[in-house]
Amino acid sequence: MRKYSYIIIDNDAESVLKTRIVAEGFSELTFIASATNYQQGLNLVLEHRPYFIFLEIDPQDSASNLSLAFIGELYRFLSVIPKIIITTVTKELAFDAIQYGVFDYILKPLTHVDLVKTLLKLEKVLFESKEQKTSVSESSVAILEENVSEVKITPFIEEKEQIEAKEEAPVIIQEVQIQQIPEKPLILCIKSYGDYRYMNAADICYFQADNNSTDIYLNSGEMVTAFKTLKHFESILVHPFIRIHNSYIINQNYISRIHNGNSVCYIKNSTKKIPFSKTYKANVDLIIANFSAGNYIEI
């Protein structure tokens, strides 16, 4: 029987325990570890490469920093993403979760039947994948046999003459150019009563919360208001956008300076200073680590 390792990432210790108790009822599931916040969870996944991740994306404690953005972060480091099983108390984020390609979406509390369905779903996916590979393999063999049956056997002398003729003929090497399709930039569309406002995500410096709406600041100095909460943007945006404060999400490509003493980030070509809080200090440390991991010299 194949074994599937898993990690639980949830800021609620009771939920972690309940999920683990249910999972232990399945001999094919092997527990590795659990984490209560974004950074701990990321470190565990990168170190152990589990098959499954049970992930909470709408925690009661925002300090854990858990959201769908965690999945986006995995794509920065891993070529093969673990199968994500969302475990949360509401259906509200189900559609957004689908956009991130999660394997399953389960409402808390997790039950034995929920995991039965998930493992049956996995079994079906693996079976269909195997069938597809077998079908492709059989088709290849059939084509090969068909081609072989069409080969004509020529006399040895004729074959020798053909070989000598080929050796005398000039060899023409045709250069094949592979056209690379450039990746399209992410476009953010802000809709309001039939008004569609488009902007390149790369032009956005930062997002600032304003009650139930969010102000979007562009590198041109322009500000656009969207009638969505900052938490909504946090759930759909991935690198280089990262939350550093209850009121701010920043595009780290526009950071020119980070002052830990004053707990502020400076924006390029601007006098604007964006504060960061202790709650999101781990994210600021991640930004610093990202800078140092590139083409970087520290003096």
Side-chain angles (χ1 to χ4, degrees):
M1 179 183 292
R2 184 174 177 180
K3 298 287 186 178
Y4 303 103
S5 59
Y6 69 94
I7 284 175
I8 304 171
I9 304 176
D10 193 326
N11 72 312
D12 186 341
E14 185 177 351
S15 290
V16 171
L17 181 59
K18 289 181 178 179
T19 299
R20 186 176 176 183
I21 289 173
V22 173
E24 285 180 349
F26 297 83
S27 57
E28 57 265 59
L29 295 178
T30 303
F31 175 71
I32 295 177
S34 63
T36 58
N37 61 55
Y38 181 102
Q39 194 59 51
Q40 288 178 1
L42 181 62
N43 293 342
L44 281 177
V45 173
L46 297 183
E47 180 180 357
H48 298 284
R49 309 287 183 87
Y51 194 86
F52 285 117
I53 299 175
F54 292 91
L55 176 65
E56 168 63 81
I57 56 173
D58 190 22
Q60 293 181 351
D61 182 9
S62 61
S64 65
N65 215 17
L66 297 177
S67 70
L68 285 169
F70 180 88
I71 303 174
E73 189 70 10
L74 294 180
Y75 280 94
R76 296 185 55 234
F77 301 102
L78 301 177
S79 56
V80 178
I81 304 300
K83 296 192 182 302
I84 311 293
I85 301 174
I86 300 300
T87 55
T88 189
V89 296
T90 176
K91 296 180 180 179
E92 291 180 3
L93 297 174
F95 179 77
D96 293 332
I98 292 172
Q99 309 307 308
Y100 279 80
V102 303
F103 185 73
D104 213 343
Y105 194 101
I106 300 175
L107 296 182
K108 291 181 178 179
L110 182 74
T111 67
H112 181 84
V113 174
D114 289 328
L115 271 189
V116 168
K117 293 178 181 178
T118 297
L119 292 175
L120 286 175
K121 179 181 177 182
L122 174 65
E123 184 179 328
K124 181 181 178 183
V125 170
L126 295 178
F127 176 78
E128 290 175 348
S129 177
K130 183 178 179 180
E131 285 288 297
Q132 185 177 7
K133 289 180 181 178
T134 302
S135 176
V136 172
S137 178
E138 290 176 350
S139 299
S140 300
V141 171
I143 292 171
L144 179 60
E145 290 176 346
E146 182 181 347
N147 291 338
V148 169
S149 67
E150 294 177 356
V151 175
K152 296 180 179 179
I153 302 175
T154 58
F156 174 74
I157 296 176
E158 182 181 348
E159 184 177 329
K160 182 178 179 181
E161 291 176 351
Q162 291 176 355
I163 294 174
E164 290 175 350
K166 287 182 180 179
E167 289 178 347
E168 293 176 359
V171 178
I172 301 174
I173 301 176
Q174 184 176 2
E175 182 179 351
V176 179
Q177 294 184 348
I178 300 176
Q179 183 179 5
Q180 293 185 346
I181 301 175
E183 183 179 353
K184 292 184 178 181
L186 174 63
I187 303 296
L188 203 62
C189 176
I190 308 299
K191 295 192 300 182
S192 177
Y193 301 106
D195 180 19
Y196 293 75
R197 173 61 188 270
Y198 303 99
M199 62 189 76
N200 286 332
D203 295 336
I204 299 173
C205 295
Y206 63 93
F207 298 78
Q208 182 175 356
D210 184 10
N211 295 322
N212 290 325
S213 63
T214 301
D215 295 331
I216 305 172
Y217 289 83
L218 307 179
N219 57 9
S220 62
E222 187 179 3
M223 187 271 283
V224 178
T225 297
F227 295 99
K228 295 286 185 180
T229 64
L230 193 68
K231 187 172 184 178
H232 173 79
F233 284 102
E234 182 185 17
S235 69
I236 63 173
L237 293 172
V238 295
H239 179 82
F241 295 97
I242 190 165
R243 191 164 185 171
I244 62 172
H245 190 277
N246 283 338
S247 299
Y248 292 96
I249 293 174
I250 198 167
N251 182 342
Q252 68 180 49
N253 291 333
Y254 285 96
I255 296 177
S256 62
R257 178 183 176 188
I258 297 175
H259 197 301
N260 278 313
N262 295 333
S263 298
V264 294
C265 294
Y266 292 73
I267 300 296
K268 290 179 181 179
N269 304 319
S270 170
T271 59
K272 180 67 177 180
K273 301 176 185 178
I274 307 294
F276 60 84
S277 59
K278 292 182 179 179
T279 301
Y280 296 96
K281 181 62 169 60
N283 284 357
V284 176
D285 293 338
L286 180 61
I287 293 172
I288 294 173
N290 288 341
F291 279 127
S292 62
N295 190 8
Y296 174 83
I297 298 176
E298 188 172 295
I299 302 172

